Amino acid sequence: MNEWVKKLQHRWYVWVLLALGIVLFLYTNREQADDSSLPVQLPETQSQETKEEKQAPSLVVVDVKGAVVRPGVYELAENARVRDAIALASGFTNEADQTKVNLAAKVHDEMMIYVPVKGENALAPASTSDGRKQIDINHATVEDIQQIQGIGPAKAAAIIAYREEHGPFRKVEDLLNVSGIGEKSLEKMKEQIIIR
């Protein structure tokens, strides 16, 4: 009788140990499966959000005036062109002189885009205190720029090349970035230059 009880108890221990082993095995595998799936999903989500943030273009604000259907202040992507700003202003009026507007020019923050009517000068030149004409270097031709005291053909061409490569000048001091223009020469010509 005692022997039969011992065998029964022995078998019972074996079954309990076997059941514990199976439960432990299943629990460990489930935990590993859960852990292995987390690192894969989280970085993907984070990297997608980071990519979306990097791809979102920053905005610039421009003021469109003159012969357009709806003059006003508009927001555009920083890589937009003048044609995009004109489109936001519902296009040109019938009186607009489209030949005076560079539609391919890149827009920049705080830019004013003025569309003249036919027969009007796009931007009437201003004058200095001694009667010299002020030149808008963001819209002037090589010939116009040469009217600035101390600017010859080579410097005028360098100014145009810099403007085409880097976009419009934002302040007169930006001319110091142009090859051949130093602080002394800029001081002499500063009064003859305007930025629009």
Side-chain angles (χ1 to χ4, degrees):
M1 181 78 174
N2 282 341
E3 205 173 306
W4 183 79
V5 171
K6 283 182 183 177
K7 281 184 182 178
L8 188 63
Q9 285 176 342
H10 180 69
R11 285 184 185 161
W12 183 78
Y13 286 130
V14 170
W15 284 112
V16 167
L17 287 174
L18 187 60
L20 282 174
I22 290 171
V23 168
L24 186 62
F25 175 77
L26 291 174
Y27 179 75
T28 306
N29 279 349
R30 194 181 94 194
E31 201 170 66
Q32 286 175 352
D34 288 348
D35 287 346
S36 65
S37 65
L38 285 175
V40 175
Q41 290 173 353
L42 287 177
E44 280 181 20
T45 308
Q46 290 172 349
S47 65
Q48 285 172 356
E49 288 171 5
T50 308
K51 284 179 188 174
E52 287 171 11
E53 287 171 8
K54 285 181 184 175
Q55 290 173 355
S58 56
L59 297 175
V60 295
V61 179
V62 298
D63 185 6
V64 185
K65 297 180 181 294
V68 290
V69 176
R70 291 176 50 212
V73 176
Y74 296 96
E75 286 187 355
L76 297 104
E78 68 178 345
N79 59 352
R81 306 282 175 164
V82 169
R83 71 169 180 228
D84 302 319
I86 299 293
L88 283 177
S90 300
F92 296 108
T93 64
N94 292 334
E95 299 82 29
D97 188 352
Q98 298 180 35
T99 63
K100 298 283 196 299
V101 182
N102 181 1
L103 295 174
K106 286 184 179 177
V107 299
H108 59 86
D109 197 36
E110 300 177 14
M111 179 181 192
M112 184 189 78
I113 301 166
Y114 180 75
V115 180
V117 295
K118 291 171 185 165
E120 174 190 359
N121 286 332
L123 292 168
S127 298
T128 63
S129 56
D130 61 0
R132 290 178 187 240
K133 187 166 81 168
Q134 283 186 308
I135 305 296
D136 174 10
I137 57 169
N138 281 333
H139 300 94
T141 63
V142 173
E143 292 77 20
D144 292 334
I145 293 173
Q146 288 180 60
Q147 294 176 36
I148 300 170
Q149 184 181 12
I151 299 287
K155 282 186 184 175
I159 289 170
I160 297 284
Y162 183 89
R163 185 177 77 193
E164 288 174 353
E165 185 178 344
H166 300 283
F169 294 94
R170 293 175 187 259
K171 55 186 186 294
V172 175
E173 290 73 20
D174 288 347
L175 280 166
L176 293 171
N177 299 324
V178 177
S179 176
I181 298 180
E183 293 202 18
K184 286 184 181 177
S185 54
L186 179 64
E187 199 56 43
K188 290 178 187 174
M189 63 174 106
K190 207 172 188 176
E191 197 183 331
Q192 301 170 65
I193 296 169
I194 52 174
I195 306 285
R196 287 187 178 153

